[in-house]
Amino acid sequence: MSRSVMFGIILMILAESVAVHALVYARWPMASLALVACNVLTVWWISREGSAESRITLFADRLEVRHGRSTRADFPLAIVGDVRVPTWQEVPQAGTVGYRALSGGDDPNVLLTFEAPVSLRLAMGARRGVRVLGLRLESPEDFVSAVQRARG
């Protein structure tokens, strides 16, 4: 998430929080305080998640993918069926079953296809099975060749 989008969302939450607090406080003070607490927690979560960095770590036998603070996948290289730099026609549409893009809003420039579904952990512990994972990397060709070398 870009900083400007994150700050825009936080400013909207704060503006709405002040307005709703002013309207609700006169009639239901406890409800107003509960809403303020929820808004503070939401702003904290958005700023924490928005400032987190993504990283991909390649080990000799496995790959660790971290996207922000809440999305993670750890899987052995043995189940990677294909890794490639896709053309724009090869990128699956958003919402395709078994596909997840961790590309920060851009089109992915690396596609990992797995022989078996990989468990992707999302926010609040939710899990999704994915067969194709889209990544956005600075040097996709280097990553593809490193994974192919590690797979042997």
Side-chain angles (χ1 to χ4, degrees), residues 1-10 13 41-54 66-71 104 123:
M1 175 184 316
S2 70
R3 288 198 182 276
S4 58
V5 170
M6 181 178 67
F7 287 129
I9 291 171
I10 288 172
I13 289 172
L41 288 173
T42 302
V43 167
W44 171 77
W45 184 83
I46 288 173
S47 63
R48 183 177 175 264
E49 189 68 27
S51 63
E53 295 194 13
S54 298
R66 304 288 186 265
H67 187 68
R69 294 192 196 285
S70 55
T71 304

Side-chain angles (χ1 to χ4, degrees), residues 28-70:
W28 301 290
M30 292 306 290
S32 174
L33 294 177
L35 289 172
V36 167
C38 287
N39 285 338
V40 167
L41 288 173
T42 302
V43 167
W44 171 77
W45 184 83
I46 288 173
S47 63
R48 183 177 175 264
E49 189 68 27
S51 63
E53 295 194 13
S54 298
R55 66 182 161 85
I56 299 171
T57 309
L58 177 63
F59 295 98
D61 62 338
R62 73 185 197 287
L63 193 62
E64 287 183 358
V65 178
R66 304 288 186 265
H67 187 68
R69 294 192 196 285
S70 55

Side-chain angles (χ1 to χ4, degrees), residues 92 95-101 112 114 117-118 128-134:
T96 302
V97 176
Y99 169 68
R100 186 74 172 199
L112 288 166
F114 305 104
V118 171
R128 297 286 182 269
V130 295
R131 294 202 55 120
V132 179
L133 187 63

